[in-house]
Amino acid sequence: MTDTPLLHVDMDAFYASVALRERPDLVDQPVVVGGNGRGVVLAANYVARRYGLRSALPMTRARRLCPHVVVLAPDYSTFMSVSASVMETFRDVTPVVEAMSLDEAFLDVRGATRRLGTPTEIAERLRATIHDEQGITCSVGVAASVSVAKVASRRAKPDGVVVVPPAEVASFLHPLDVGELYGVGEKTQALLHRFGLLTVGDVAHTPLQTLQRDLGDHLGRHLRHLAWGTDRRDLSPTVGPHEPERSMGADETFARDTDDRDVIVRELLRLTARVTGRMRAAGVAGRTVTLKVRFSDFTTITRSRTRSEATDVTVEVHRAVTHLYDALGLRRVRVRLVGVRVEGLVPRATVHRQLVLGEPEHGWAEADRAVDRATRRFGAAAVRPASLW
DNA sequence: TCTGGGGTCCTAGGACCC
DNA sequence: TCTGGGGTCCTAGGACCC
């Protein structure tokens, strides 16, 4: 009875559904959650989807497609608290819960069937609980593998359950377009279509060597597994000891494109402070500092530099990204977005700084810690580098 | 006024080492 | 003097996910 032990639970139009709890008067109208400027749609309710609105659509296009759409601003603190409650509901069923984002998770229910019934019964019970306690609906895919459960939950939307027993994996997957597979995006879909591989079944019946020749060893093998639903990986529970982040970063699109170096360097300082603050809160430091620049034509470049010692010091990271920016030698080039990312993160306790004789650097780490303390006491707005005033 | 922000993983070339 | 081969690290870009 546990040949389909994996559940993929996905909230339906999560941000929109949560936002509409406060505005029941709007449930029959097209509603999206998103910012107002140069942003994209974060979530669209099912009424809005009838107009072609969906997540990631630019807000400007959304308004053109549906001029009377109601736009609600995201309220992340509410989203996070609803998400935390939902995840707790999952953990009442099994400790093996891998959260993929605020609104979806994989559950391995092998250890719960004796107590709670079949995976399908567990799925229905979860859906009822979440509906009663949170006032939102969700959809569940039930299968033996992560990728099949994921595809199944998408097919179950909205407000449904799709179960795919092992014997039915091929008949379930093979008629679908290749783009439905978890991990096949726009580019890979177009590539496969160009090779005449339109359905998952087409991929499934293509020799492995052919797939690997056309798509590379790794992607070829991966696609074959996806097409037969034979991917096997254990979930890694999100709570408790788990893998630390590999990188942390922040980027932001300017309200208007700019070529003003002062504006850009100040923005890099804001972003750096945000990232290093999070790093210190997480107790990590990193060696590789990456600058991201997106130009007004949307082309995007990155430049990175790996240091000999890991750091979490705001001034050091900011100096590194400023160097990288200046090395680009831009002159009157309009910049749309800049970003800062620190990679190669390791626990701070494992970093042994070699203090160079006469180095005027210590003091900055102390200053950061003072800033962190003040931020905790008075809030982020209270403390910021002088150049940001 | 098209096109956010947070991540992960893979590829490919060059440097460098054995 | 004429061409190997493997492994690791670094850098840049790109695909994909939510």
Side-chain angles (χ1 to χ4, degrees):
Chain A
M1 211 64 292
T2 53
D3 56 352
T4 53
L6 294 184
L7 271 55
H8 181 254
V9 189
D10 199 342
M11 305 300 122
D12 299 325
F14 181 60
Y15 292 176
S17 307
V18 172
L20 280 170
R21 299 191 311 183
E22 309 292 315
R23 295 297 306 272
D25 53 307
L26 296 176
V27 287
D28 295 322
Q29 296 186 48
V31 172
V32 300
V33 172
N36 256 319
R38 308 175 90 175
V40 297
V41 173
L42 298 170
N45 73 348
Y46 282 83
V47 183
R49 291 186 196 197
R50 293 209 289 269
Y51 295 85
L53 307 196
R54 47 183 171 72
S55 1
L57 196 72
M59 283 300 305
T60 47
R61 282 195 60 197
R63 288 183 191 280
R64 227 176 300 142
L65 284 168
C66 181
H68 60 293
V69 66
V70 178
V71 179
L72 300 177
D75 171 10
Y76 287 99
S77 60
T78 304
F79 299 154
M80 286 167 66
S81 87
V82 174
S83 175
S85 305
V86 169
M87 296 296 163
E88 271 314 300
T89 301
F90 296 161
R91 288 189 192 98
D92 289 341
V93 168
T94 169
V96 191
V97 175
E98 182 174 328
M100 301 301 287
S101 65
L102 286 185
D103 78 318
E104 63 173 288
F106 289 100
L107 282 65
D108 185 334
V109 300
R110 260 177 295 201
T113 51
R114 187 177 295 273
R115 187 165 49 98
L116 299 172
T118 66
T120 309
E121 288 165 348
I122 293 172
E124 288 296 1
R125 169 200 292 252
L126 282 171
R127 280 164 30 76
T129 304
I130 290 166
H131 184 264
D132 291 351
E133 292 181 354
Q134 305 300 331
I136 59 176
T137 65
C138 64
S139 300
V140 185
V142 186
S145 80
V146 160
S147 79
V148 176
K150 173 74 195 179
V151 176
S153 72
R154 206 166 358 185
R155 306 293 293 184
K157 282 181 171 295
D159 199 11
V161 177
V162 165
V163 185
V164 186
E168 292 168 29
V169 166
S171 58
F172 169 72
L173 287 179
H174 289 187
L176 304 179
D177 187 283
V178 288
E180 301 266 334
L181 292 175
Y182 186 39
V184 175
E186 210 181 334
K187 306 286 180 175
T188 307
Q189 180 191 33
L191 192 61
L192 290 168
H193 281 191
R194 236 175 295 141
F195 287 123
L197 306 177
L198 304 182
T199 67
V200 176
D202 292 339
V203 172
H205 293 104
T206 299
L208 179 58
Q209 290 82 346
T210 308
L211 290 176
Q212 290 185 313
R213 187 193 60 213
D214 295 338
L215 299 148
D217 275 10
H218 186 273
L219 186 54
R221 198 170 331 111
H222 185 55
L223 275 175
R224 154 147 301 238
H225 277 300
L226 292 180
W228 288 101
T230 49
D231 56 300
R232 287 290 177 272
R233 76 163 171 93
D234 289 325
L235 303 187
S236 47
T238 321
V239 158
H242 61 276
E243 301 280 307
E245 329 269 332
R246 296 178 186 280
S247 71
M248 288 192 191
D251 48 52
E252 206 161 286
T253 300
F254 291 111
R256 300 182 43 185
D257 297 354
T258 181
D259 59 2
D260 184 335
R261 180 183 180 277
D262 289 348
V263 170
I264 288 166
V265 169
R266 259 203 307 275
E267 178 68 4
L268 288 173
L269 177 55
R270 277 187 53 225
L271 295 168
T272 300
R274 208 186 288 168
V275 173
T276 50
R278 279 166 49 207
M279 290 171 64
R280 292 190 297 271
V284 295
R287 288 179 59 215
T288 303
V289 176
T290 301
L291 165 75
K292 175 157 94 174
V293 180
R294 173 169 294 153
F295 302 105
S296 43
D297 67 356
F298 219 73
T299 57
T300 307
I301 60 169
T302 61
R303 292 293 180 271
S304 63
R305 181 69 210 266
T306 300
R307 314 154 45 87
S308 53
E309 302 271 334
T311 183
D312 62 3
V313 177
T314 307
V315 168
E316 293 181 354
V317 174
H318 181 243
R319 190 157 49 206
V321 287
T322 303
H323 275 308
L324 290 166
Y325 177 79
D326 285 333
L328 292 173
L330 302 182
R331 297 180 63 234
R332 285 196 286 279
V333 181
R334 306 197 61 79
V335 171
R336 178 190 177 87
L337 163 149
V338 288
V340 179
R341 177 163 295 278
V342 182
E343 300 168 69
L345 301 186
V346 293
R348 219 188 80 88
T350 67
V351 178
H352 303 290
R353 282 194 73 105
Q354 284 185 335
L355 286 180
V356 177
L357 206 61
E359 186 185 33
E361 290 301 303
H362 44 283
W364 287 119
E366 278 307 315
D368 279 343
R369 281 197 278 281
V371 167
D372 293 341
R373 283 192 296 274
T375 303
R376 280 196 295 275
R377 277 190 70 180
F378 305 114
V383 186
R384 67 185 86 154
S387 72
L388 294 182
W389 282 96

